[in-house]
PDB file of all heavy atoms in Angstrom:
ATOM      1  N   HIS A 262      -5.116   8.074 -21.640  1.00  0.00           N
ATOM      2  CA  HIS A 262      -5.329   6.708 -21.141  1.00  0.00           C
ATOM      3  C   HIS A 262      -4.032   6.156 -20.564  1.00  0.00           C
ATOM      4  O   HIS A 262      -4.015   5.587 -19.476  1.00  0.00           O
ATOM      5  CB  HIS A 262      -5.831   5.839 -22.291  1.00  0.00           C
ATOM      6  CG  HIS A 262      -6.284   4.474 -21.878  1.00  0.00           C
ATOM      7  ND1 HIS A 262      -5.429   3.553 -21.335  1.00  0.00           N
ATOM      8  CD2 HIS A 262      -7.494   3.874 -21.935  1.00  0.00           C
ATOM      9  CE1 HIS A 262      -6.088   2.449 -21.073  1.00  0.00           C
ATOM     10  NE2 HIS A 262      -7.349   2.619 -21.433  1.00  0.00           N
ATOM     11  N   SER A 263      -2.906   6.341 -21.291  1.00  0.00           N
ATOM     12  CA  SER A 263      -1.610   5.851 -20.805  1.00  0.00           C
ATOM     13  C   SER A 263      -1.189   6.565 -19.534  1.00  0.00           C
ATOM     14  O   SER A 263      -0.669   5.943 -18.609  1.00  0.00           O
ATOM     15  CB  SER A 263      -0.527   6.053 -21.872  1.00  0.00           C
ATOM     16  OG  SER A 263      -0.786   5.209 -22.964  1.00  0.00           O
ATOM     17  N   ALA A 264      -1.397   7.866 -19.478  1.00  0.00           N
ATOM     18  CA  ALA A 264      -1.035   8.624 -18.278  1.00  0.00           C
ATOM     19  C   ALA A 264      -1.827   8.134 -17.075  1.00  0.00           C
ATOM     20  O   ALA A 264      -1.286   7.996 -15.971  1.00  0.00           O
ATOM     21  CB  ALA A 264      -1.266  10.114 -18.501  1.00  0.00           C
ATOM     22  N   LEU A 265      -3.102   7.856 -17.278  1.00  0.00           N
ATOM     23  CA  LEU A 265      -3.922   7.352 -16.176  1.00  0.00           C
ATOM     24  C   LEU A 265      -3.450   5.977 -15.716  1.00  0.00           C
ATOM     25  O   LEU A 265      -3.414   5.692 -14.512  1.00  0.00           O
ATOM     26  CB  LEU A 265      -5.401   7.293 -16.588  1.00  0.00           C
ATOM     27  CG  LEU A 265      -6.093   8.640 -16.769  1.00  0.00           C
ATOM     28  CD1 LEU A 265      -7.481   8.438 -17.367  1.00  0.00           C
ATOM     29  CD2 LEU A 265      -6.169   9.384 -15.454  1.00  0.00           C
ATOM     30  N   LEU A 266      -3.071   5.121 -16.666  1.00  0.00           N
ATOM     31  CA  LEU A 266      -2.590   3.788 -16.297  1.00  0.00           C
ATOM     32  C   LEU A 266      -1.287   3.863 -15.513  1.00  0.00           C
ATOM     33  O   LEU A 266      -1.122   3.185 -14.500  1.00  0.00           O
ATOM     34  CB  LEU A 266      -2.403   2.923 -17.546  1.00  0.00           C
ATOM     35  CG  LEU A 266      -3.689   2.451 -18.193  1.00  0.00           C
ATOM     36  CD1 LEU A 266      -3.399   1.784 -19.521  1.00  0.00           C
ATOM     37  CD2 LEU A 266      -4.422   1.506 -17.282  1.00  0.00           C
ATOM     38  N   TYR A 267      -0.349   4.714 -15.973  1.00  0.00           N
ATOM     39  CA  TYR A 267       0.910   4.849 -15.237  1.00  0.00           C
ATOM     40  C   TYR A 267       0.674   5.419 -13.846  1.00  0.00           C
ATOM     41  O   TYR A 267       1.284   4.985 -12.879  1.00  0.00           O
ATOM     42  CB  TYR A 267       1.908   5.723 -15.996  1.00  0.00           C
ATOM     43  CG  TYR A 267       2.614   4.972 -17.093  1.00  0.00           C
ATOM     44  CD1 TYR A 267       2.400   5.268 -18.428  1.00  0.00           C
ATOM     45  CD2 TYR A 267       3.495   3.942 -16.782  1.00  0.00           C
ATOM     46  CE1 TYR A 267       3.039   4.564 -19.425  1.00  0.00           C
ATOM     47  CE2 TYR A 267       4.132   3.229 -17.780  1.00  0.00           C
ATOM     48  CZ  TYR A 267       3.904   3.547 -19.091  1.00  0.00           C
ATOM     49  OH  TYR A 267       4.530   2.851 -20.077  1.00  0.00           O
ATOM     50  N   THR A 268      -0.236   6.371 -13.740  1.00  0.00           N
ATOM     51  CA  THR A 268      -0.568   6.931 -12.427  1.00  0.00           C
ATOM     52  C   THR A 268      -1.146   5.853 -11.528  1.00  0.00           C
ATOM     53  O   THR A 268      -0.761   5.733 -10.365  1.00  0.00           O
ATOM     54  CB  THR A 268      -1.572   8.096 -12.579  1.00  0.00           C
ATOM     55  OG1 THR A 268      -0.972   9.087 -13.426  1.00  0.00           O
ATOM     56  CG2 THR A 268      -1.910   8.706 -11.228  1.00  0.00           C
ATOM     57  N   ALA A 269      -2.034   5.025 -12.065  1.00  0.00           N
ATOM     58  CA  ALA A 269      -2.623   3.939 -11.275  1.00  0.00           C
ATOM     59  C   ALA A 269      -1.546   2.949 -10.835  1.00  0.00           C
ATOM     60  O   ALA A 269      -1.539   2.489  -9.697  1.00  0.00           O
ATOM     61  CB  ALA A 269      -3.707   3.215 -12.081  1.00  0.00           C
ATOM     62  N   LEU A 270      -0.628   2.650 -11.734  1.00  0.00           N
ATOM     63  CA  LEU A 270       0.458   1.744 -11.373  1.00  0.00           C
ATOM     64  C   LEU A 270       1.337   2.344 -10.279  1.00  0.00           C
ATOM     65  O   LEU A 270       1.720   1.668  -9.339  1.00  0.00           O
ATOM     66  CB  LEU A 270       1.319   1.426 -12.599  1.00  0.00           C
ATOM     67  CG  LEU A 270       0.761   0.380 -13.541  1.00  0.00           C
ATOM     68  CD1 LEU A 270       1.560   0.367 -14.838  1.00  0.00           C
ATOM     69  CD2 LEU A 270       0.767  -0.986 -12.904  1.00  0.00           C
ATOM     70  N   LEU A 271       1.647   3.632 -10.397  1.00  0.00           N
ATOM     71  CA  LEU A 271       2.491   4.266  -9.392  1.00  0.00           C
ATOM     72  C   LEU A 271       1.810   4.290  -8.028  1.00  0.00           C
ATOM     73  O   LEU A 271       2.415   3.985  -7.010  1.00  0.00           O
ATOM     74  CB  LEU A 271       2.854   5.688  -9.824  1.00  0.00           C
ATOM     75  CG  LEU A 271       3.850   5.770 -10.981  1.00  0.00           C
ATOM     76  CD1 LEU A 271       3.974   7.201 -11.470  1.00  0.00           C
ATOM     77  CD2 LEU A 271       5.196   5.220 -10.586  1.00  0.00           C
ATOM     78  N   PHE A 272       0.541   4.653  -8.000  1.00  0.00           N
ATOM     79  CA  PHE A 272      -0.165   4.667  -6.716  1.00  0.00           C
ATOM     80  C   PHE A 272      -0.329   3.256  -6.179  1.00  0.00           C
ATOM     81  O   PHE A 272      -0.217   3.030  -4.984  1.00  0.00           O
ATOM     82  CB  PHE A 272      -1.536   5.348  -6.835  1.00  0.00           C
ATOM     83  CG  PHE A 272      -1.437   6.841  -6.814  1.00  0.00           C
ATOM     84  CD1 PHE A 272      -1.953   7.586  -7.857  1.00  0.00           C
ATOM     85  CD2 PHE A 272      -0.829   7.493  -5.758  1.00  0.00           C
ATOM     86  CE1 PHE A 272      -1.864   8.963  -7.842  1.00  0.00           C
ATOM     87  CE2 PHE A 272      -0.730   8.868  -5.743  1.00  0.00           C
ATOM     88  CZ  PHE A 272      -1.247   9.613  -6.789  1.00  0.00           C
ATOM     89  N   GLY A 273      -0.561   2.295  -7.065  1.00  0.00           N
ATOM     90  CA  GLY A 273      -0.695   0.908  -6.631  1.00  0.00           C
ATOM     91  C   GLY A 273       0.601   0.370  -6.059  1.00  0.00           C
ATOM     92  O   GLY A 273       0.605  -0.508  -5.227  1.00  0.00           O
ATOM     93  N   ALA A 274       1.721   0.949  -6.489  1.00  0.00           N
ATOM     94  CA  ALA A 274       3.017   0.503  -5.993  1.00  0.00           C
ATOM     95  C   ALA A 274       3.437   1.240  -4.729  1.00  0.00           C
ATOM     96  O   ALA A 274       4.395   0.871  -4.087  1.00  0.00           O
ATOM     97  CB  ALA A 274       4.073   0.713  -7.080  1.00  0.00           C
ATOM     98  N   ASN A 275       2.737   2.283  -4.365  1.00  0.00           N
ATOM     99  CA  ASN A 275       3.054   3.057  -3.172  1.00  0.00           C
ATOM    100  C   ASN A 275       2.616   2.283  -1.942  1.00  0.00           C
ATOM    101  O   ASN A 275       1.497   1.802  -1.859  1.00  0.00           O
ATOM    102  CB  ASN A 275       2.330   4.406  -3.267  1.00  0.00           C
ATOM    103  CG  ASN A 275       2.729   5.339  -2.156  1.00  0.00           C
ATOM    104  OD1 ASN A 275       2.847   4.939  -1.005  1.00  0.00           O
ATOM    105  ND2 ASN A 275       2.923   6.596  -2.514  1.00  0.00           N
ATOM    106  N   ALA A 276       3.481   2.181  -0.951  1.00  0.00           N
ATOM    107  CA  ALA A 276       3.169   1.406   0.253  1.00  0.00           C
ATOM    108  C   ALA A 276       1.926   1.927   0.954  1.00  0.00           C
ATOM    109  O   ALA A 276       1.193   1.160   1.576  1.00  0.00           O
ATOM    110  CB  ALA A 276       4.364   1.425   1.206  1.00  0.00           C
ATOM    111  N   ALA A 277       1.647   3.208   0.840  1.00  0.00           N
ATOM    112  CA  ALA A 277       0.468   3.768   1.497  1.00  0.00           C
ATOM    113  C   ALA A 277      -0.813   3.251   0.859  1.00  0.00           C
ATOM    114  O   ALA A 277      -1.878   3.295   1.463  1.00  0.00           O
ATOM    115  CB  ALA A 277       0.510   5.291   1.430  1.00  0.00           C
ATOM    116  N   PHE A 278      -0.711   2.787  -0.372  1.00  0.00           N
ATOM    117  CA  PHE A 278      -1.875   2.276  -1.089  1.00  0.00           C
ATOM    118  C   PHE A 278      -1.744   0.777  -1.350  1.00  0.00           C
ATOM    119  O   PHE A 278      -2.319   0.247  -2.289  1.00  0.00           O
ATOM    120  CB  PHE A 278      -2.029   3.000  -2.438  1.00  0.00           C
ATOM    121  CG  PHE A 278      -2.235   4.474  -2.296  1.00  0.00           C
ATOM    122  CD1 PHE A 278      -1.160   5.350  -2.394  1.00  0.00           C
ATOM    123  CD2 PHE A 278      -3.481   4.989  -2.036  1.00  0.00           C
ATOM    124  CE1 PHE A 278      -1.339   6.706  -2.270  1.00  0.00           C
ATOM    125  CE2 PHE A 278      -3.662   6.352  -1.902  1.00  0.00           C
ATOM    126  CZ  PHE A 278      -2.588   7.215  -2.016  1.00  0.00           C
ATOM    127  N   ALA A 279      -0.959   0.101  -0.534  1.00  0.00           N
ATOM    128  CA  ALA A 279      -0.648  -1.305  -0.781  1.00  0.00           C
ATOM    129  C   ALA A 279      -1.893  -2.168  -0.842  1.00  0.00           C
ATOM    130  O   ALA A 279      -2.858  -1.958  -0.130  1.00  0.00           O
ATOM    131  CB  ALA A 279       0.293  -1.837   0.301  1.00  0.00           C
ATOM    132  N   GLY A 280      -1.850  -3.138  -1.696  1.00  0.00           N
ATOM    133  CA  GLY A 280      -2.934  -4.085  -1.863  1.00  0.00           C
ATOM    134  C   GLY A 280      -2.451  -5.151  -2.818  1.00  0.00           C
ATOM    135  O   GLY A 280      -1.264  -5.262  -3.088  1.00  0.00           O
ATOM    136  N   PRO A 281      -3.353  -5.917  -3.365  1.00  0.00           N
ATOM    137  CA  PRO A 281      -2.932  -6.940  -4.319  1.00  0.00           C
ATOM    138  C   PRO A 281      -2.373  -6.304  -5.592  1.00  0.00           C
ATOM    139  O   PRO A 281      -2.634  -5.147  -5.878  1.00  0.00           O
ATOM    140  CB  PRO A 281      -4.227  -7.707  -4.597  1.00  0.00           C
ATOM    141  CG  PRO A 281      -5.326  -6.796  -4.197  1.00  0.00           C
ATOM    142  CD  PRO A 281      -4.778  -5.885  -3.142  1.00  0.00           C
ATOM    143  N   VAL A 282      -1.623  -7.082  -6.331  1.00  0.00           N
ATOM    144  CA  VAL A 282      -1.042  -6.593  -7.576  1.00  0.00           C
ATOM    145  C   VAL A 282      -2.160  -6.324  -8.571  1.00  0.00           C
ATOM    146  O   VAL A 282      -3.064  -7.141  -8.746  1.00  0.00           O
ATOM    147  CB  VAL A 282      -0.044  -7.620  -8.145  1.00  0.00           C
ATOM    148  CG1 VAL A 282       0.479  -7.178  -9.502  1.00  0.00           C
ATOM    149  CG2 VAL A 282       1.105  -7.830  -7.174  1.00  0.00           C
ATOM    150  N   ASP A 283      -2.079  -5.199  -9.240  1.00  0.00           N
ATOM    151  CA  ASP A 283      -3.046  -4.846 -10.278  1.00  0.00           C
ATOM    152  C   ASP A 283      -2.518  -5.373 -11.613  1.00  0.00           C
ATOM    153  O   ASP A 283      -1.870  -4.657 -12.368  1.00  0.00           O
ATOM    154  CB  ASP A 283      -3.258  -3.336 -10.316  1.00  0.00           C
ATOM    155  CG  ASP A 283      -4.397  -2.933 -11.220  1.00  0.00           C
ATOM    156  OD1 ASP A 283      -4.853  -3.767 -12.044  1.00  0.00           O
ATOM    157  OD2 ASP A 283      -4.857  -1.783 -11.104  1.00  0.00           O
ATOM    158  N   TRP A 284      -2.766  -6.646 -11.855  1.00  0.00           N
ATOM    159  CA  TRP A 284      -2.251  -7.305 -13.058  1.00  0.00           C
ATOM    160  C   TRP A 284      -2.794  -6.658 -14.327  1.00  0.00           C
ATOM    161  O   TRP A 284      -2.058  -6.509 -15.303  1.00  0.00           O
ATOM    162  CB  TRP A 284      -2.595  -8.792 -13.044  1.00  0.00           C
ATOM    163  CG  TRP A 284      -2.042  -9.531 -11.876  1.00  0.00           C
ATOM    164  CD1 TRP A 284      -2.750 -10.088 -10.846  1.00  0.00           C
ATOM    165  CD2 TRP A 284      -0.674  -9.805 -11.579  1.00  0.00           C
ATOM    166  NE1 TRP A 284      -1.902 -10.682  -9.937  1.00  0.00           N
ATOM    167  CE2 TRP A 284      -0.622 -10.532 -10.367  1.00  0.00           C
ATOM    168  CE3 TRP A 284       0.519  -9.502 -12.224  1.00  0.00           C
ATOM    169  CZ2 TRP A 284       0.575 -10.951  -9.792  1.00  0.00           C
ATOM    170  CZ3 TRP A 284       1.714  -9.927 -11.654  1.00  0.00           C
ATOM    171  CH2 TRP A 284       1.728 -10.641 -10.456  1.00  0.00           C
ATOM    172  N   GLN A 285      -4.062  -6.286 -14.323  1.00  0.00           N
ATOM    173  CA  GLN A 285      -4.652  -5.698 -15.520  1.00  0.00           C
ATOM    174  C   GLN A 285      -4.003  -4.361 -15.856  1.00  0.00           C
ATOM    175  O   GLN A 285      -3.731  -4.071 -17.011  1.00  0.00           O
ATOM    176  CB  GLN A 285      -6.169  -5.533 -15.376  1.00  0.00           C
ATOM    177  CG  GLN A 285      -6.859  -5.165 -16.678  1.00  0.00           C
ATOM    178  CD  GLN A 285      -6.605  -6.176 -17.794  1.00  0.00           C
ATOM    179  OE1 GLN A 285      -6.810  -7.365 -17.607  1.00  0.00           O
ATOM    180  NE2 GLN A 285      -6.149  -5.725 -18.952  1.00  0.00           N
ATOM    181  N   ALA A 286      -3.730  -3.549 -14.853  1.00  0.00           N
ATOM    182  CA  ALA A 286      -3.055  -2.270 -15.104  1.00  0.00           C
ATOM    183  C   ALA A 286      -1.673  -2.513 -15.692  1.00  0.00           C
ATOM    184  O   ALA A 286      -1.250  -1.792 -16.602  1.00  0.00           O
ATOM    185  CB  ALA A 286      -2.966  -1.453 -13.821  1.00  0.00           C
ATOM    186  N   ALA A 287      -0.972  -3.525 -15.198  1.00  0.00           N
ATOM    187  CA  ALA A 287       0.355  -3.852 -15.729  1.00  0.00           C
ATOM    188  C   ALA A 287       0.256  -4.269 -17.196  1.00  0.00           C
ATOM    189  O   ALA A 287       1.057  -3.831 -18.027  1.00  0.00           O
ATOM    190  CB  ALA A 287       0.999  -4.955 -14.899  1.00  0.00           C
ATOM    191  N   LYS A 288      -0.732  -5.086 -17.516  1.00  0.00           N
ATOM    192  CA  LYS A 288      -0.921  -5.517 -18.906  1.00  0.00           C
ATOM    193  C   LYS A 288      -1.283  -4.333 -19.787  1.00  0.00           C
ATOM    194  O   LYS A 288      -0.731  -4.156 -20.873  1.00  0.00           O
ATOM    195  CB  LYS A 288      -2.006  -6.590 -18.985  1.00  0.00           C
ATOM    196  CG  LYS A 288      -1.558  -7.927 -18.411  1.00  0.00           C
ATOM    197  CD  LYS A 288      -2.656  -8.943 -18.456  1.00  0.00           C
ATOM    198  CE  LYS A 288      -2.602  -9.577 -19.817  1.00  0.00           C
ATOM    199  NZ  LYS A 288      -3.286 -10.863 -19.906  1.00  0.00           N
ATOM    200  N   ASP A 289      -2.199  -3.502 -19.304  1.00  0.00           N
ATOM    201  CA  ASP A 289      -2.635  -2.340 -20.077  1.00  0.00           C
ATOM    202  C   ASP A 289      -1.502  -1.346 -20.307  1.00  0.00           C
ATOM    203  O   ASP A 289      -1.480  -0.643 -21.313  1.00  0.00           O
ATOM    204  CB  ASP A 289      -3.805  -1.635 -19.384  1.00  0.00           C
ATOM    205  CG  ASP A 289      -5.079  -2.466 -19.378  1.00  0.00           C
ATOM    206  OD1 ASP A 289      -5.177  -3.452 -20.140  1.00  0.00           O
ATOM    207  OD2 ASP A 289      -5.983  -2.130 -18.582  1.00  0.00           O
ATOM    208  N   ALA A 290      -0.563  -1.286 -19.364  1.00  0.00           N
ATOM    209  CA  ALA A 290       0.545  -0.336 -19.455  1.00  0.00           C
ATOM    210  C   ALA A 290       1.741  -0.875 -20.241  1.00  0.00           C
ATOM    211  O   ALA A 290       2.732  -0.182 -20.383  1.00  0.00           O
ATOM    212  CB  ALA A 290       0.987   0.070 -18.050  1.00  0.00           C
ATOM    213  N   GLY A 291       1.672  -2.103 -20.729  1.00  0.00           N
ATOM    214  CA  GLY A 291       2.747  -2.583 -21.582  1.00  0.00           C
ATOM    215  C   GLY A 291       3.188  -4.016 -21.379  1.00  0.00           C
ATOM    216  O   GLY A 291       3.832  -4.582 -22.250  1.00  0.00           O
ATOM    217  N   LEU A 292       2.894  -4.618 -20.243  1.00  0.00           N
ATOM    218  CA  LEU A 292       3.277  -6.022 -20.024  1.00  0.00           C
ATOM    219  C   LEU A 292       2.144  -6.926 -20.507  1.00  0.00           C
ATOM    220  O   LEU A 292       1.558  -7.689 -19.744  1.00  0.00           O
ATOM    221  CB  LEU A 292       3.579  -6.277 -18.543  1.00  0.00           C
ATOM    222  CG  LEU A 292       4.858  -5.665 -18.010  1.00  0.00           C
ATOM    223  CD1 LEU A 292       4.977  -5.876 -16.510  1.00  0.00           C
ATOM    224  CD2 LEU A 292       6.081  -6.223 -18.722  1.00  0.00           C
ATOM    225  N   VAL A 293       1.856  -6.838 -21.802  1.00  0.00           N
ATOM    226  CA  VAL A 293       0.682  -7.510 -22.362  1.00  0.00           C
ATOM    227  C   VAL A 293       0.749  -9.032 -22.280  1.00  0.00           C
ATOM    228  O   VAL A 293      -0.282  -9.696 -22.248  1.00  0.00           O
ATOM    229  CB  VAL A 293       0.422  -7.069 -23.825  1.00  0.00           C
ATOM    230  CG1 VAL A 293       0.066  -5.599 -23.889  1.00  0.00           C
ATOM    231  CG2 VAL A 293       1.618  -7.361 -24.709  1.00  0.00           C
ATOM    232  N   LYS A 294       1.965  -9.590 -22.223  1.00  0.00           N
ATOM    233  CA  LYS A 294       2.106 -11.047 -22.181  1.00  0.00           C
ATOM    234  C   LYS A 294       2.156 -11.601 -20.753  1.00  0.00           C
ATOM    235  O   LYS A 294       2.286 -12.800 -20.567  1.00  0.00           O
ATOM    236  CB  LYS A 294       3.347 -11.475 -22.950  1.00  0.00           C
ATOM    237  CG  LYS A 294       3.282 -11.119 -24.447  1.00  0.00           C
ATOM    238  CD  LYS A 294       4.483 -11.620 -25.202  1.00  0.00           C
ATOM    239  CE  LYS A 294       5.587 -10.608 -25.160  1.00  0.00           C
ATOM    240  NZ  LYS A 294       6.772 -10.990 -25.935  1.00  0.00           N
TER     241      LYS A 294
END
């Protein structure tokens, strides 16, 4: 689950996959607050 979240965050941060910020992925990956 953690590996998938980090992968999603990395792809979401890649300019080729740019879009809105994935706030839920950030929270799920450790920025819970």
Side-chain angles (χ1 to χ4, degrees):
H262 189 296
S263 292
L265 290 172
L266 287 172
Y267 280 112
T268 301
L270 280 169
L271 288 171
F272 280 123
N275 187 318
F278 299 96
V282 175
D283 189 345
W284 300 112
Q285 191 57 52
K288 288 178 86 161
D289 292 345
L292 289 175
V293 295
K294 297 183 272 183

